[in-house]
Amino acid sequence: DSGVTQTPKHLITATGQRVTLRCSPRSGDLSVYWYQQSLDQGLQFLIQYYNGEERAKGNILERFSAQQFPDLHSELNLSSLELGDSALYFCASSSRTSGKPDTQYFGPGTRLTVL
Amino acid sequence: AQSVTQLGSHVSVSEGALVLLRCNYSSSVPPYLFWYVQYPNQGLQLLLKYTSAATLVKGINGFEAEFKKSETSFHLTKPSAHMSDAAEYFCAVKDQGGKLIFGQGTELSVKP
């Protein structure tokens, strides 16, 4: 158990809908990262937050957004869903933001299926 | 830009045989390198990481990796494979912003 929790574990929805994925980082970790894992793209970084502020953006679509709340949990919002958004979404947390070889601890993921 | 290449999307070994999973990186600065394992329907678990302290890094479950700057490699090895090692393995490099850049992954199968 990494200490990172993600809910829900599975999500099935229809095209055009909006969903929210939730992540609680390990106790004391200030950084939260979101990654998408799909068969064709592999593991891709989406976005990073540190102590409530956005720090880096990767290949995140404009239909996707995220935020980190004062209690440090984070939510990833996916809207106007398309079939191609079906993937495993991981959250990871670490204690630092950059420049140091700290470890990112991954949650179990949320499997999103868009029908 | 930093990148990681894992040679071989599928590797199959017999139980008790040597495991060798290959990873080459590209980085303009001294890299921080990681190996993660993903068991079916689970998240990623850290096996080991290179942080420039020692070129031979020992990880969990008997795995180790050697950083070779001249070859820009960080191959993962285990002397004797167990059935429980069957999983997908990812090599990653940490970029200067902090995010991980992953290779495409190598699926390890272990035959009895």
Side-chain angles (χ1 to χ4, degrees):
Chain A
D1 185 355
S2 67
V4 178
T5 60
Q6 289 187 249
T7 57
K9 191 167 184 176
H10 299 279
L11 200 46
I12 302 174
T13 187
T15 54
Q17 295 298 305
R18 172 189 169 94
V19 297
T20 297
L21 313 184
R22 183 188 169 103
C23 167
S24 292
R26 293 189 324 150
S27 177
D29 282 356
L30 299 178
S31 267
V32 169
Y33 303 79
W34 285 97
Y35 294 86
Q36 179 194 59
Q37 185 180 32
S38 63
L39 284 175
D40 52 344
Q41 297 289 329
L43 267 162
Q44 300 262 325
F45 167 74
L46 294 178
I47 196 164
Q48 178 205 357
Y49 280 83
Y50 179 78
N51 202 20
E53 294 188 4
E54 182 184 303
R55 280 303 179 98
K57 260 185 173 179
N59 299 323
I60 187 166
L61 300 170
E62 285 191 13
R63 300 183 285 109
F64 296 2
S65 65
Q67 53 184 328
Q68 186 179 27
F69 294 87
D71 67 351
L72 300 177
H73 91 270
S74 177
E75 292 181 356
L76 179 67
N77 301 295
L78 315 177
S79 61
S80 303
L81 286 167
E82 302 175 358
L83 295 177
D85 297 328
S86 296
L88 198 50
Y89 291 84
F90 286 111
C91 165
S93 76
S94 70
S95 57
R96 301 188 182 101
T97 176
S98 65
K100 298 286 185 179
D102 59 316
T103 298
Q104 289 184 24
Y105 295 90
F106 282 75
T110 293
R111 184 170 293 282
L112 173 66
T113 302
V114 182
L115 300 176
Chain B
Q2 291 162 301
S3 65
V4 167
T5 301
Q6 290 183 240
L7 300 176
S9 58
H10 290 90
V11 170
S12 181
V13 300
S14 298
E15 195 173 18
L18 171 72
V19 175
L20 171 60
L21 304 182
R22 300 177 186 273
C23 172
N24 287 89
Y25 70 90
S26 171
S27 177
S28 57
V29 297
Y32 297 134
L33 295 160
F34 303 79
W35 275 100
Y36 283 86
V37 60
Q38 184 179 25
Y39 298 101
N41 300 313
Q42 293 188 29
L44 281 79
Q45 181 183 3
L46 179 72
L47 278 177
L48 49 81
K49 64 181 179 182
Y50 169 73
T51 61
S52 76
T55 57
L56 184 61
V57 182
K58 293 189 183 300
I60 62 170
N61 301 338
F63 284 94
E64 63 181 36
E66 186 172 7
F67 173 73
K68 292 187 177 181
K69 185 178 177 181
S70 60
E71 299 177 8
T72 60
S73 69
F74 190 56
H75 301 333
L76 182 71
T77 60
K78 182 174 180 178
S80 176
H82 296 155
M83 297 296 291
S84 60
D85 294 327
E88 188 149 21
Y89 292 79
F90 292 92
C91 182
V93 63
K94 187 171 188 180
D95 83 354
Q96 291 173 287
K99 70 178 184 283
L100 292 173
I101 299 167
F102 287 92
Q104 285 299 103
T106 297
E107 186 176 350
L108 175 66
S109 301
V110 182
K111 299 175 291 186

